[in-house]
Amino acid sequence: MSTVEYTWRDSELRSPPLRALNWTGAQLARFGPELPSLSPSSVTAAAIKLAGSDDFGGDSYQEPLEVYLRACEVEAQLTTFGRLLVSKMLARALANRLALQDWSKKHPEVREGRIERPWIIVGLPRTGTSLLSILLGLDPVARPLLQWEAAHPVPPATLEEAAEDPRVARTAKDLDGLMKLNPPLKAMHPFGATVAEECVAIFMYDVRALALETQAHVPSYARWLEKADMTSAYDEHRLALQTLQSRQPTERWILKTPNHLWNLDAMLAAYPDARVIWTHRDPGPVVTSLASLANAGQRVLTSRKDPRPTAEEWKRKCGFALRSAMAFDERAEDGWCQHIHYEALIADPVGVVRELYSGFGEEVGSLHTRRMRAFLADRPQDLFGRHRYDPADFGWTYPELAVEFEDYTKRYHIETPSHP
C-alpha cells in the first residue's frame, strides 16, 4: 500500500460549516468591524474568565499581545475562523499564565525548586530535534515536557495521578480535532498528548514565542520579537517547570525548541548550567520544509493563497537565527554546547546519544539503551503520510539556498548535496 503524500496545498479548509462561517464573516465585515474582536482587552477578559483569576504576575505580556494582535489585523489576512482560533489560542495561553501565578501564590515552595543542568536542544526546526528529544527523554532519570502538560500545567499532576489524568484525554481529543481539520500536519510534525512537546509552548504564556508566527503571517511582530528582552518569557518558562516537577520530581529536564536559538544569551542567563545541544542540517531542505509547514499551519486560517510571503519570512527568520547564534558562538567559551549533525543522528541515533553523554562526562545506562532500541525498532515510518516539499513552490532553488546560507554551512562543515 502506497504512503499518502502531503504538501502545504493539502491544508485547504474543507469543512462546509467553517467555510460558511468565513463567507458570512466576510459579508458582515463589509458593513462593520471584523468579528470576533482581536482587541487585547477581549483576549485578556477571556483569559481571566477561563482561569478565574486576574493576577498576571506582571504586565510583560501586554506589549507583545498588542503588537501581535495589531499584526494579525494588518498583515495576516485572517478569516473569521482564523480570528476565532487565534483569539482562543491567546486566551488559553494567558489563562495558563494566570493559573501558574495563582498556584505559586498558594504553594510558594514551588518557586524554590531548582532546575539543575537541563539538557536543551536548540537547533533549527526540521534538524532532528524531535527525534533527539524523544531519545534523550527515554533515560529513566530524565523527563521531557509532554504536550498535555504544556496545554494544562495547573494543577501539576502527581505521580499517582499522571497516567490517568483526564487532561491527557482532553488534549488527545483537541489534537484529534486539529488533525481532522488539517490532516497534513500529522505528517509534518509529531503530535500526541503524551509526546514530548517543544517548550516554546511555555513562552506563549508571555506572548513571546515563535509558535505564534506559525499561526499567522505577522512580520512586524517577528521583528519586534527579535529585539525583545526575553527575560520575562524565561521567568514563565522556569516557573512552569518548577510547578510540574514539584509533584513529579526529575533529575534532569529534556527541553527543546528552536526558539532558544534566537535567544541564547537569555537562555543561558536563565539556565547557566544548561547542557546545550545544537543540531545542524543542510539549510536547503530545512528552510523549504519549514516554509511548507508554516504555510500548512496558516492556510486554514487565512484568505491569502500565495505561499511566498510566509516562506520568505521564515527563510529570513532562519537566517537571522543562524547569524545570531554564530555571533554568540564566536564570543562564547569553548564547549558551551555540543554540535550534532542530522545525517549522523539519522544514521546511528543510539551512537549519537552515546557521544553526547560522553561529551557531558556521563554514560548511557543499559536500560536507556534498551528503551532507545525498542523505540527505534517499533517506530512507524510515514505512519501518517509523507511530507513533500519543493523550493520551486516558493520561488527558490536548492543551489540558491546553498549560496545564501554558505557562511553557516562552511563554519560547521555541513554538506549541501545537490537536490533533485
Side-chain angles (χ1 to χ4, degrees):
M1 183 173 62
S2 61
T3 300
V4 177
E5 295 186 349
Y6 290 108
T7 73
W8 58 271
R9 292 184 178 86
D10 296 306
S11 291
E12 193 77 38
L13 184 64
R14 304 185 187 283
S15 166
L18 293 180
R19 290 168 67 93
L21 173 68
N22 287 340
W23 183 89
T24 302
Q27 300 309 306
L28 292 175
R30 296 167 59 189
F31 305 101
E34 289 191 76
L35 297 173
S37 172
L38 289 181
S39 69
S41 60
S42 66
V43 170
T44 53
I48 290 169
K49 183 177 180 180
L50 282 171
S53 170
D54 62 0
D55 182 1
F56 287 93
D59 62 0
S60 60
Y61 69 94
Q62 290 182 351
E63 183 180 1
L65 180 64
E66 292 170 0
V67 173
Y68 182 73
L69 289 174
R70 188 182 312 120
C72 283
E73 291 281 15
V74 175
E75 300 165 340
Q77 295 179 233
L78 293 176
T79 60
T80 301
F81 176 58
R83 296 170 70 89
L84 181 65
L85 240 62
V86 164
S87 61
K88 285 189 173 183
M89 171 188 68
L90 290 167
R92 286 196 297 266
L94 289 176
N96 282 335
R97 178 191 178 111
L98 288 165
L100 280 171
Q101 295 298 326
D102 185 60
W103 184 267
S104 65
K105 283 190 297 183
K106 294 174 180 176
H107 304 83
E109 70 280 1
V110 162
R111 292 184 180 270
E112 298 174 8
R114 294 178 58 84
I115 310 297
E116 296 183 332
R117 296 188 301 176
W119 292 38
I120 305 181
I121 306 167
V122 302
L124 283 178
R126 332 306 288 170
T127 60
T129 58
S130 294
L131 173 60
L132 183 57
S133 70
I134 291 172
L135 295 177
L136 294 177
L138 292 173
D139 189 329
V141 304
R143 178 181 178 192
L145 175 71
L146 303 182
Q147 291 188 20
W148 79 266
E149 293 177 316
H152 306 284
V154 174
T158 66
L159 286 167
E160 180 183 7
E161 299 166 340
E164 297 183 355
D165 193 299
R167 290 171 292 181
V168 178
R170 192 187 320 167
T171 304
K173 183 178 179 181
D174 290 343
L175 290 173
D176 183 60
L178 174 62
M179 296 306 104
K180 289 178 179 176
L181 175 70
N182 198 346
L185 290 183
K186 191 70 173 180
M188 298 180 181
H189 185 77
F191 290 93
T194 58
V195 172
E197 172 67 293
E198 291 195 7
C199 52
V200 68
I202 303 176
F203 291 143
M204 296 274 285
Y205 306 167
D206 200 44
V207 201
R208 298 170 192 246
L210 291 176
L212 291 167
E213 298 177 57
T214 65
Q215 306 300 308
H217 178 66
V218 284
S220 60
Y221 170 81
R223 284 153 183 77
W224 179 91
L225 186 63
E226 287 165 0
K227 299 176 182 178
D229 183 352
M230 289 291 287
T231 301
S232 59
Y234 278 98
D235 288 342
E236 294 297 322
H237 190 278
R238 185 187 306 104
L239 180 58
L241 299 184
Q242 288 171 320
T243 300
L244 292 168
Q245 75 176 20
S246 67
R247 288 186 163 183
Q248 291 189 65
T250 186
E251 186 170 311
R252 75 172 62 115
W253 280 97
I254 305 299
L255 305 169
K256 73 105 174 177
T257 175
N259 212 140
H260 297 304
L261 198 62
W262 274 255
N263 308 284
L264 292 172
D265 285 295
M267 182 195 77
L268 286 169
Y271 302 111
D273 60 352
R275 294 178 165 185
V276 185
I277 305 161
W278 186 354
T279 52
H280 300 279
R281 185 184 180 188
D282 174 9
V286 167
V287 172
T288 306
S289 174
L290 183 55
S292 178
L293 173 61
N295 272 289
Q298 295 176 15
R299 194 165 171 80
V300 296
L301 308 181
T302 181
S303 58
R304 178 185 287 114
K305 301 300 182 183
D306 186 353
R308 291 172 295 180
T310 291
E312 286 292 332
E313 175 60 19
W314 276 93
K315 178 160 68 74
R316 184 201 66 81
K317 290 177 66 60
C318 288
F320 177 90
L322 292 175
R323 289 191 300 273
S324 299
M326 286 190 290
F328 179 90
D329 193 19
E330 287 181 358
R331 65 179 185 270
E333 294 183 5
D334 291 342
W336 72 273
C337 80
Q338 291 198 58
H339 298 275
I340 296 298
H341 284 209
Y342 174 82
E343 289 77 14
L345 176 64
I346 297 303
D348 185 9
V350 175
V352 165
V353 170
R354 283 195 175 122
E355 290 177 7
L356 281 174
Y357 272 64
S358 178
F360 291 134
E362 298 192 16
E363 293 184 2
V364 176
S366 60
L367 176 57
H368 186 191
T369 298
R370 295 200 303 274
R371 285 182 170 185
M372 287 192 290
R373 294 198 185 284
F375 170 80
L376 292 167
D378 294 334
R379 183 184 180 210
Q381 298 296 316
D382 302 322
L383 176 63
F384 302 104
R386 183 178 292 119
H387 180 198
R388 288 294 187 191
Y389 43 89
D390 185 345
D393 288 346
F394 315 117
W396 308 332
T397 67
Y398 281 125
E400 289 170 346
L401 291 171
V403 172
E404 188 167 347
F405 290 93
E406 188 174 23
D407 289 349
Y408 165 68
T409 55
K410 284 187 175 181
R411 180 185 179 104
Y412 297 105
H413 310 290
I414 300 166
E415 294 184 4
T416 55
S418 59
H419 297 274

